Amino acid sequence: MFAATSGSSVATAATIGTVALEEVEKNSYNERLFLGTIAAGGTLGILIPPSVNLILYGVLTETSIPKLYLAGLIPGILLAALFMVLVAVVCTMKPEWGGTRNTATRAQKLQALPDLLPPVAIFVSVIGSIYLGWATATEAAALGVLAALVIAACYRCLSVKVILDAFEGAMKTTAMIMAVMIGAYFLNLVFGAIGLPQAASNWIAGMNLEPLALFGLVVLFYFILGMFMETLSMMVASVPIIAPIMVQAGFDPVWCGIVIVLLMEIALITPPVGLNLFVVQSVRKRGPVEDVIFGALPFMLIMLLFVGILYLFPQIVLFIPYG
């Protein structure tokens, strides 16, 4: 839910990690599993809308951003559910990994429920307005900001400092995204000038690959590339080449966007350059980073399995955007 309101995998992993890591010792959780849960759960920030990476894919490929947002909703929820199933299965097999059991009365549970309403309200204001056709992606973002301001005011934490900090954060993020997009446009221009996309398309077409073989090659390509590159840089460098090839092979561009962003998620927890691994480790501030790597490994396998599921059942992605 935090990923759905943040749109950033790194911000999600850092924020939730800061809040949750103190629970490891307090409740005797298995630390590696707990760290892997935070690192992998944080990756949902670039799949569940609003997502910076989906916007970048839409800009690079001229694909409808509202359709990408709608397409990412069900896969994001299903992937989160698979993560929860994995944790449940592991803790059933090894009960001691699940830590000490906490108890709460029905009244305490009901009293805690209102704390979930603010992120739900922001999520509904953004996604609901797009799905109902009331707003474009840009207008929906403005509605999300307005909802956040109203919630902050209701909680009596809206101040000039909070607004200025929000402005500063928005300016830094916007400047970073615009710098990436400007670089992407120049890179696309260079690629087009030297004929790289056409040459790559001709090379792959000359291999006469079946769609399944092409899909497997793309997954392998991104898996290897994700070991050494950061996600935004990887998208800028690869999407202008890979996406047209996949579309030419008969894959839907919206479906391609969700699959590629999902492969970016896998890259976020793939060593040695998995960004979320180091974000969680930096929040943890102790122990070896290998603990986070081994903890995230089962989740990475689940994500690879989910990529295969999306290939077999593309309607999981296409059902909402195409009705």
Side-chain angles (χ1 to χ4, degrees):
M1 293 181 70
F2 188 90
T5 58
S6 168
S8 168
S9 293
V10 173
T12 301
T15 304
I16 299 300
T18 301
V19 174
L21 279 175
E22 63 182 32
E23 301 294 325
V24 175
E25 293 184 0
K26 184 188 298 184
N27 293 294
S28 303
Y29 293 118
N30 178 273
E31 189 167 18
R32 285 190 171 184
L33 177 63
F34 199 92
L35 294 170
T37 303
I38 296 173
T43 65
L44 296 170
I46 63 172
L47 180 60
I48 297 178
S51 164
V52 172
N53 292 67
L54 285 176
I55 292 174
L56 184 57
Y57 175 88
V59 170
L60 292 173
T61 61
E62 298 182 359
T63 303
S64 168
I65 294 174
K67 285 185 178 180
L68 288 169
Y69 271 17
L70 296 175
L73 188 58
I74 291 180
I77 293 172
L78 288 178
L79 188 57
L82 285 175
F83 286 170
M84 288 187 279
V85 168
L86 173 63
V87 173
V89 170
V90 170
C91 291
T92 300
M93 296 173 62
K94 293 184 175 292
E96 67 276 12
W97 286 17
T100 55
R101 185 177 180 84
N102 292 316
T103 58
T105 64
R106 184 183 297 273
Q108 288 173 324
K109 293 176 182 178
L110 291 175
Q111 188 178 2
L113 280 179
D115 292 334
L116 295 176
L117 293 179
V120 170
I122 296 174
F123 178 77
V124 170
S125 65
V126 174
I127 302 304
S129 59
I130 294 176
Y131 182 66
L132 294 172
W134 294 348
T136 64
T138 304
E139 292 165 347
L143 286 174
V145 172
L146 181 60
L149 288 173
V150 171
I151 290 170
C154 291
Y155 277 77
R156 297 184 178 181
C157 56
L158 184 63
S159 63
V160 174
K161 182 180 185 304
V162 168
I163 294 176
L164 291 178
D165 288 344
F167 283 160
E168 182 181 355
M171 290 171 64
K172 288 180 178 179
T173 302
T174 303
M176 180 270 293
I177 294 172
M178 292 305 297
V180 170
M181 288 185 174
I182 291 171
Y185 278 121
F186 276 107
L187 193 60
N188 289 348
L189 182 64
V190 172
F191 282 165
I194 64 177
L196 183 59
Q198 189 61 42
S201 299
N202 293 338
W203 176 66
I204 293 179
M207 296 172 67
N208 295 319
L209 294 175
E210 294 293 326
L212 178 58
L214 174 61
F215 178 71
L217 184 63
V218 169
V219 171
L220 179 63
F221 168 76
Y222 275 115
F223 185 78
I224 295 174
L225 201 64
M227 295 180 179
F228 308 103
M229 289 186 71
E230 186 270 332
T231 53
L232 285 178
S233 304
M234 188 163 38
M235 287 193 74
V236 170
S238 65
V239 165
I241 299 174
I242 298 297
I245 293 173
M246 294 186 72
V247 172
Q248 188 177 355
F251 294 103
D252 184 271
V254 173
W255 181 88
C256 289
I258 300 303
V259 169
I260 288 176
V261 168
L262 182 55
L263 293 171
M264 297 294 111
E265 284 189 333
I266 296 173
L268 283 168
I269 55 173
T270 303
V273 192
L275 195 56
N276 273 25
L277 302 176
F278 293 99
V279 168
V280 173
Q281 177 63 19
S282 66
V283 172
R284 182 188 180 205
K285 297 179 181 177
R286 61 183 175 82
V289 71
E290 285 80 6
D291 289 340
V292 189
I293 293 173
F294 283 113
L297 183 58
F299 295 94
M300 184 176 69
L301 297 177
I302 287 290
M303 293 164 81
L304 286 170
L305 174 65
F306 191 61
V307 170
I309 292 174
L310 293 187
Y311 177 82
L312 294 174
F313 304 101
Q315 284 305 312
I316 293 174
V317 174
L318 303 176
F319 173 71
I320 295 182
Y322 292 112

